[in-house]
């Protein structure tokens, strides 16, 4: 489990969260209906005190889900203390949508944690991760199922000296 404010841990971490209610609540495990929209946020936390170079955030769309085009976006959120309840204050900085064709290869995402932010390239697949919280967000449509299906997604942070922290979550889809 990644550390939150007030916890000394000096190692980068990653946390995957979903919202099945338009962003009102966030959890690593959500339940929703067939064909619904689910929002995903892959949080990265760098508390090493130094910039992590050549960092990439990676994940694959869960089986049966479909990416909603132009929904992938990177954000810096340094004041957040708990990704399940992000601050959303004026310290948050988001870039425009990243270029899907550059960062998505089929169902696999590889993006810089700062693509599109403050003039950075919207096609970057690696970049610098400064100290603090940042996240990549995107939206997907759940598959149509006849009964109930549980799908799992894993996300990770890779970069110079990060140790490749990862996290996972599940989406339960019912008809």
């Amino acid at each position: 489990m990644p550390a939150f404010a007030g916890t000394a841990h000096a190692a980068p971490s990653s946390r995957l969260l979903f919202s099945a209610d338009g962003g009102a609540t966030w959890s690593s495990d959500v339940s929703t209906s067939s064909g619904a929209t689910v929002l995903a946020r892959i949080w990265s936390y760098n508390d090493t005190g130094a910039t992590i170079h050549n960092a990439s955030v990676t994940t694959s769309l869960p089986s049966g889900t479909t990416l909603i085009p132009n929904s992938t976006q990177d954000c810096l959120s340094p004041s957040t203390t708990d990704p399940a309840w992000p601050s959303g204050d004026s310290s948050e900085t988001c870039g425009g949508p990243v270029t899907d064709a550059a960062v998505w290869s089929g169902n696999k995402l590889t993006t810089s944690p700062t693509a599109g932010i403050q003039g950075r390239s919207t096609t970057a697949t690696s970049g610098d991760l400064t100290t603090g919280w940042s996240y990549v967000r995107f939206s997907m449509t759940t598959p149509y199922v006849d009964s109930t299906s549980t799908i799992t997604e894993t996300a990770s942070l890779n970069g110079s000296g990060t140790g490749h922290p990862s996290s996972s979550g599940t989406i339960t889809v019912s008809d």
Side-chain angles (χ1 to χ4, degrees):
M1 183 70 130
F4 298 106
T7 303
H9 100 292
S13 58
S14 176
R15 185 165 183 202
L16 175 64
L17 295 173
F18 301 112
S19 177
D21 59 11
T25 59
W26 293 88
S27 175
S28 59
D29 302 298
V30 297
S31 296
T32 193
S33 58
S34 291
T37 297
V38 173
L39 310 176
R41 281 186 174 169
I42 306 165
W43 286 90
S44 300
Y45 185 54
N46 177 7
D47 69 347
T48 65
T51 297
I52 297 172
H53 301 288
N54 301 314
S56 294
V57 177
T58 62
T59 193
S60 293
L61 287 174
S63 178
T65 63
T66 304
L67 175 69
I68 295 176
N70 302 312
S71 66
T72 308
Q73 184 177 33
D74 292 354
C75 298
L76 301 175
S77 191
S79 296
T80 294
T81 57
D82 182 349
W85 298 100
S87 59
D89 63 18
S90 61
S91 69
E92 184 169 280
T93 303
C94 295
V98 298
T99 305
D100 287 346
V103 299
W104 286 96
S105 177
N107 71 342
K108 183 175 172 47
L109 171 70
T110 303
T111 187
S112 163
T114 56
I117 297 174
Q118 298 170 337
R120 293 178 180 96
S121 171
T122 61
T123 63
T125 57
S126 67
D128 291 342
L129 178 61
T130 57
T131 302
W133 288 98
S134 66
Y135 64 89
V136 175
R137 65 182 173 199
F138 60 92
S139 302
M140 61 187 132
T141 304
T142 60
Y144 287 90
V145 296
D146 290 332
S147 56
T148 300
S149 177
T150 301
I151 51 182
T152 302
E153 180 178 4
T154 300
S156 63
L157 169 67
N158 304 301
S160 303
T162 63
H164 311 291
S166 65
S167 61
S168 62
T170 59
I171 303 169
T172 302
V173 182
S174 300
D175 62 354

